[in-house]
Amino acid sequence: MLHKKIQHYIRQHEMWKPKDLILVSVSGGVDSMTLLRVLYHTKAMHKGILKVVTFDHGLRDESKDEVEMVATYCRQYQIPYKIIPLHLKKSTNLMEIAREKRRIHLEAIDSFRIVTGHHMNDQAETILYRMLRGSGLDGVSGMLPVQGKYCRPMLNVQKDEIISYAKLHQIPFVDDPSNSKSMRGKLREIFSHLEDIYTFCCR
């Protein structure tokens, strides 16, 4: 079960202690919404105090509806939340600017840990990206379960597990169409070709 894998990973890496304030960064996508659902329904086990932050990037008309979806979910379960507008403008390095603005806002909020929904597939994409950039061995090692204030409870979970769990529990989520044009979107295309090559070579 997905929630058991996540709880085991939290305990294994001692991500937080009882009554620590855990700031969950929720985009409205399937990964972060699934993580939020798991953390809420297992709070008796991990004993962290949850607070949600979601960002309105202001780049698409749908942005307001997406953050409101997150807010509605939080109100349903009485989870404290904050919506932060970023007022971004389109530019060539938009993704990097957005990531940096999110980081600044998240780290300005008092919390013990900042929790993100990165998973095993994100890890593979990160390692491939760093390899393509010519990173050394340290860079190729990828994301850590705990890194400073940040922690990633789903690094031991695959994307298809997350999607199956979301469907099973009817978790609301949105797909951002801009993701396919992002760096990670292009890396996912590469991985789909690698899987075809692996299948061809190993059959």
Side-chain angles (χ1 to χ4, degrees), residues 42-61:
T42 59
K43 60 184 180 180
M45 288 181 276
H46 65 71
K47 296 182 172 61
I49 299 172
L50 301 180
K51 181 175 181 178
V52 167
V53 171
T54 188
F55 296 97
D56 182 356
H57 294 80
L59 295 169
R60 296 179 294 111
D61 293 338

Side-chain angles (χ1 to χ4, degrees), residues 163-182:
I163 293 172
S164 296
Y165 186 92
K167 289 179 178 177
L168 177 64
H169 295 282
Q170 299 181 317
I171 301 171
F173 65 89
V174 294
D175 284 317
D176 184 346
S178 64
N179 285 340
S180 61
K181 300 176 183 177
S182 68

Side-chain angles (χ1 to χ4, degrees), residues 121-135:
N121 300 61
D122 291 326
Q123 180 75 293
E125 291 162 10
T126 297
I127 292 171
L128 177 59
Y129 175 66
R130 291 175 178 176
M131 287 175 65
L132 293 172
R133 288 185 61 188
S135 298

Side-chain angles (χ1 to χ4, degrees), residues 99 118 122-144 147 152 183-184 187 191:
R99 184 166 52 249
H118 292 99
D122 291 326
Q123 180 75 293
E125 291 162 10
T126 297
I127 292 171
L128 177 59
Y129 175 66
R130 291 175 178 176
M131 287 175 65
L132 293 172
R133 288 185 61 188
S135 298
L137 291 177
D138 289 340
V140 173
S141 64
M143 295 180 285
L144 298 175
Q147 200 162 12
R152 306 171 179 98
M183 178 270 291
R184 284 200 178 274
L187 287 173
F191 266 103

